[in-house]
Amino acid sequence: MKAIITGIQAETLTPFAYHSLMVQGGTATLPELVSDQALMFGLAATLGMMRSSVCLPTKDYRRDMEAMPWRASVLMTEQPRLLSPVVRRLNLTEEAGYKRRIQDVVKKGNLKDFFTTQEVPLGVVFTGALFGFDPFAYSGQDELVIRIGLHRNGMLRLRPVKVEQVRLNAATAALFGHELSVERYLLYGLQLTERMPVKDALQAVQQWN
Amino acid sequence: MKALAPYLANISALTTESPIDDKKTYIHPKLKNLGSISLVLIREAVAPVVFRNAEQEITDIEWLDDLYVRAVPNKFKYIERNRGLQILRALGIGGRLPQNKTVLYKGQNPSAAFDLNTLVFGDSANYDNRVLPVRAAVNYSDALSLLPKDKCVDETFHNRAMEDGTLFDAESKKNSDNLFTRHFIKPGTLMVQVLSTRGQVLPEIGLKHLLLSVGMAGSYGGQTSVTGINIRTHVVGLYGGKFEQAITSPYELLRGLQGRDANDVLAAKASLHELLQAAHELVIQGDEVAAWQTDLIAAFNQSGSALEQEYRQAQPHVAELFDQWFQ
C-alpha cells in the first residue's frame, strides 16, 4: 500500500439509515459517524471496482477489503443529528395473505408489522481520511458521490480536505489480525480507537493485509 | 436506447465471469464497471394523495429553512415492483410468488422464485440455511414536493354523524366521538423523484421493464380506496455518466430550483432538465423517453410483439444468472 493520505470531507445529500441501535419500537442510526467499511465499499462501487452483477457474493469483509487498494479511518462529525422516527410497515399481506401458520403467530401479537427507523438528515458533514490512494486524482473528479445506508439510499458527497487527526476502527484491524486499543465500543463491528495523528494512523493501517 | 449501451449490462453476458470468487475477479483497480444512469421523474398528484407516517399529518422533511412533503422510496417502489410482477405474470415468464413472500424450498432452483423483476427491483430469500441476496439494480430516491408543504397540503374534517343529521346516537344515548382530520396532498402538487443505477448491472430489457412499470398512472399512498388513481408520472429525462452526480439527489435538485420557474409540469421539466444536463455526458429528453414508454405499452398490449419476444429471450439468461451464481 502506498503512503498516501487523502483527507476526506463527506456531506450527506439525502438522509440515510442503518439498523444500528435497538430503540423502543424499532431502530435508530448512530448519528455521529460513517463506518470505515461503508466508506471503503462505497468508494469501490463508485469507482467501478465491484463486479457488475446484482447477485452478491458470500459475505467476507476481509477478503474484499484486502483486495482494495485503500484503507480508511472512520468518518466522524462534530454535530450529530437524527431525524424524527419514520414508521415503516412490513407489508406481507398485500398479495395472498398469510399462511395459516403465520396467521396464528400474528393473532398472538408476535409479529411486528409496524416499526420505526431513525435516519441521519441531509447536510451533515463528516471528516476522516483515506490511506494508500487518492480517488480524486485517480478519477479526475473534484468530488465523488458514494452510496451508504440501508438499500444504499444514502448519497454521500466526498471532497478532499486537510485532516490532522482521525479515529480508526479496531474491529476492522481485528479482521486483519491486529490489535488496537479501543476507546469507545459502539457495536461489535464499530470499535473506535482514540484520536491519533494521521501519520500514526497510516502506519497502523499499512499493516492491515 | 443505443446511446445507453455503455451504461447498461449485456443480457447475454450476465454470467461471463466465473462465480468462483477469487479476489482477482471480484474487485480490481480498473474502471471496469463504471456507469450510472438516472431516470428523473415528476410525480404529479391528480387526486388527493396521502403519504403519512405515525401522525395523521403528511410526512415532511426540513430543507432550505422550510418544510417539504417527503414520500419515502417505498411509497412508489412497492406499487411499481408489484406492477412489474403483474407484467411478468401476464407474459407467463415470472412473478410466480406473491410480492415480499419469496420462498424457496430445498431442491428448487433459485430461478423458480427469482426473475427479471428481482434483477430490476432486488429481493432476497431464505434457501436451505442460507440467505440469497440480490441487490436492486435500480435505487429509488425520496420523492420531494417542489413547493413547501404549506402550499401543497390540505385537510378535511370528518365526523361520523347519524342519519338524522345529528351526532347523537339514539342507541347508545351518546354523542359520536368519531371525529378526525384527514390530511392529504392537493391535486396538482408536483414531486421530484430519481431512479438510478450504479454500475452496469441493468440490461436493456431491464430498463424497458422499469419504464413499463413506472409508465402508467396508478394509486399510490394511503386511503386509495377513497381516491383511486392519484398519481401521474412525467419523465424529465434519462441522464447517464461515468460517475453518479450530486445533482441527482432530489434535495440538490430542489436547491437548484430555488428562484426558477417550476409552477407547472412543463416549466418544472424544463428547469430540472437544464440543471441535470449540465452535469451529464449522456442526456435523453423526457419526451423521447415518454415516446418509448408509449411504444412499450402498445407493444405489451399486442400479443406476439417484438417486446414479448425480447422478454421471452431474456428469461433463460436471467434464470441462468441466478441458478449459476447461487448454486
Side-chain angles (χ1 to χ4, degrees):
Chain A
M1 205 179 83
K2 295 177 191 150
I4 302 172
I5 300 174
T6 314
I8 299 264
Q9 183 195 63
E11 185 191 349
T12 51
L13 298 172
T14 62
F16 75 86
Y18 280 109
H19 294 305
S20 319
L21 302 172
M22 280 197 291
V23 295
Q24 181 94 39
T27 61
T29 313
L30 285 167
E32 55 177 330
L33 53 87
V34 173
S35 81
D36 55 336
Q37 296 175 358
L39 171 62
M40 287 196 262
F41 278 95
L43 202 56
T46 289
L47 294 179
M49 297 178 183
M50 295 285 199
R51 47 180 322 122
S52 51
S53 167
V54 290
C55 300
L56 301 178
T58 46
K59 182 173 149 180
D60 181 349
Y61 283 178
R62 178 176 173 164
R63 171 199 66 203
D64 299 345
M65 288 192 283
E66 206 168 3
M68 297 181 195
W70 53 68
R71 303 287 180 266
S73 80
V74 178
L75 298 172
M76 305 288 297
T77 180
E78 297 297 316
Q79 285 129 345
R81 288 189 294 142
L82 274 184
L83 288 171
S84 52
V86 177
V87 174
R88 317 295 307 265
R89 181 154 69 114
L90 190 65
N91 194 342
L92 303 181
T93 47
E94 199 69 16
E95 283 197 87
Y98 286 129
K99 283 198 293 236
R100 179 66 210 271
R101 200 161 48 105
I102 309 275
Q103 273 183 11
D104 295 344
V105 172
V106 175
K107 289 202 179 93
K108 294 191 179 85
N110 284 338
L111 182 82
K112 201 166 177 51
D113 44 7
F114 283 96
F115 62 97
T116 60
T117 58
Q118 249 180 305
E119 302 155 291
V120 173
L122 54 160
V124 181
V125 177
F126 300 87
T127 51
L130 192 74
F131 303 103
F133 195 85
D134 183 347
F136 306 103
Y138 172 73
S139 61
Q141 307 282 315
D142 347 339
E143 55 177 52
L144 289 165
V145 175
I146 70 167
R147 292 268 188 161
I148 58 169
L150 289 181
H151 307 297
R152 301 292 168 266
N153 270 342
M155 289 170 81
L156 199 64
R157 173 169 44 203
L158 307 184
R159 286 180 170 150
V161 67
K162 263 199 93 56
V163 174
E164 300 295 330
Q165 294 210 315
V166 293
R167 287 179 191 266
L168 294 177
N169 183 355
T172 309
L175 277 180
F176 290 102
H178 290 273
E179 236 178 75
L180 292 175
S181 66
V182 176
E183 190 185 40
R184 291 177 56 205
Y185 180 100
L186 296 168
L187 296 166
Y188 176 72
L190 259 176
Q191 304 177 29
L192 303 185
T193 64
E194 57 213 14
R195 289 181 175 282
M196 55 175 89
V198 278
K199 285 208 172 77
D200 298 1
L202 175 69
Q203 279 181 349
V205 300
Q206 277 181 321
Q207 301 166 32
W208 298 358
N209 42 35
Chain B
M1 286 264 180
K2 290 282 168 283
L4 287 164
Y7 308 105
L8 297 175
N10 181 350
I11 189 71
S12 54
L14 288 174
T15 51
T16 45
E17 277 188 67
S18 72
I20 294 163
D21 214 47
D22 164 13
K23 70 183 178 200
K24 286 192 183 61
T25 62
Y26 179 55
I27 286 179
H28 15 158
K30 75 165 195 244
L31 307 179
K32 73 174 180 96
N33 186 21
L34 271 186
S36 164
I37 54 173
S38 300
L39 178 66
V40 183
L41 305 172
I42 287 181
R43 308 285 195 172
E44 180 196 6
V46 292
V49 195
V50 180
F51 291 130
R52 50 168 281 204
N53 205 329
E55 305 81 24
Q56 56 184 8
E57 287 87 13
I58 299 294
T59 311
D60 56 29
I61 190 162
E62 204 175 320
W63 180 231
L64 307 170
D65 302 327
D66 217 329
L67 283 178
Y68 291 87
V69 171
R70 175 193 186 195
V72 294
N74 238 2
K75 302 282 181 198
F76 288 99
K77 181 176 172 174
Y78 185 79
I79 312 283
E80 281 157 11
R81 191 170 153 218
N82 198 302
R83 210 176 279 152
L85 280 173
Q86 289 164 350
I87 289 168
L88 295 183
R89 286 170 195 161
L91 296 171
I93 52 164
R96 285 188 196 87
L97 294 165
Q99 181 171 202
N100 283 351
K101 287 216 276 283
T102 312
V103 182
L104 278 167
Y105 299 107
K106 214 171 165 169
Q108 271 189 311
N109 278 332
S111 61
F114 289 162
D115 48 32
L116 183 64
N117 218 46
T118 311
L119 192 149
V120 176
F121 296 105
D123 201 355
S124 64
N126 286 324
Y127 183 57
D128 219 0
N129 53 0
R130 297 184 294 157
V131 173
L132 308 185
V134 182
R135 79 182 168 90
V138 178
N139 266 69
Y140 277 62
S141 77
D142 289 340
L144 277 190
S145 64
L146 299 184
L147 293 175
K149 183 183 174 183
D150 56 342
K151 295 200 175 66
C152 47
V153 300
D154 205 343
E155 55 187 66
T156 51
F157 181 72
H158 283 254
N159 56 39
R160 198 159 111 203
M162 299 303 135
E163 277 191 10
D164 58 8
T166 65
L167 289 180
F168 186 72
D169 184 345
E171 187 189 9
S172 62
K173 305 279 184 288
K174 276 207 304 268
N175 274 340
S176 163
D177 52 7
N178 226 322
L179 313 172
F180 58 93
T181 308
R182 190 178 266 157
H183 295 256
F184 60 90
I185 299 167
K186 286 194 283 200
T189 300
L190 304 180
M191 287 168 272
V192 62
Q193 186 176 36
V194 182
L195 277 48
S196 56
T197 72
R198 279 165 323 288
Q200 298 154 23
V201 290
L202 187 72
E204 190 178 307
I205 184 68
L207 180 65
K208 287 179 177 172
H209 185 65
L210 178 74
L211 289 173
L212 261 181
S213 304
V214 303
M216 309 177 209
S219 320
Y220 297 85
Q223 301 174 7
T224 48
S225 53
V226 181
T227 58
I229 300 271
N230 56 12
I231 293 276
R232 186 193 293 145
T233 302
H234 304 270
V235 183
V236 175
L238 197 57
Y239 305 89
K242 281 202 179 70
F243 295 95
E244 191 172 24
Q245 301 295 330
I247 192 72
T248 56
S249 156
Y251 297 90
E252 290 295 305
L253 282 171
L254 210 57
R255 193 207 300 265
L257 278 184
Q258 301 301 308
R260 285 171 187 252
D261 178 19
N263 295 333
D264 57 46
V265 175
L266 280 179
K269 271 168 79 167
S271 300
L272 288 169
H273 183 69
E274 204 178 317
L275 289 171
L276 285 152
Q277 73 171 5
H280 288 90
E281 295 149 37
L282 173 94
V283 176
I284 296 172
Q285 283 266 23
D287 300 343
E288 198 177 332
V289 181
W292 291 351
Q293 281 181 318
T294 317
D295 294 347
L296 286 169
I297 292 168
F300 173 71
N301 287 328
Q302 189 189 10
S303 64
S305 64
L307 177 73
E308 193 176 324
Q309 295 306 324
E310 211 175 330
Y311 264 108
R312 288 194 195 291
Q313 281 157 8
Q315 197 239 340
H317 292 302
V318 175
E320 186 190 20
L321 163 74
F322 293 126
D323 288 347
Q324 293 210 348
W325 178 257
F326 288 128
Q327 276 322 337

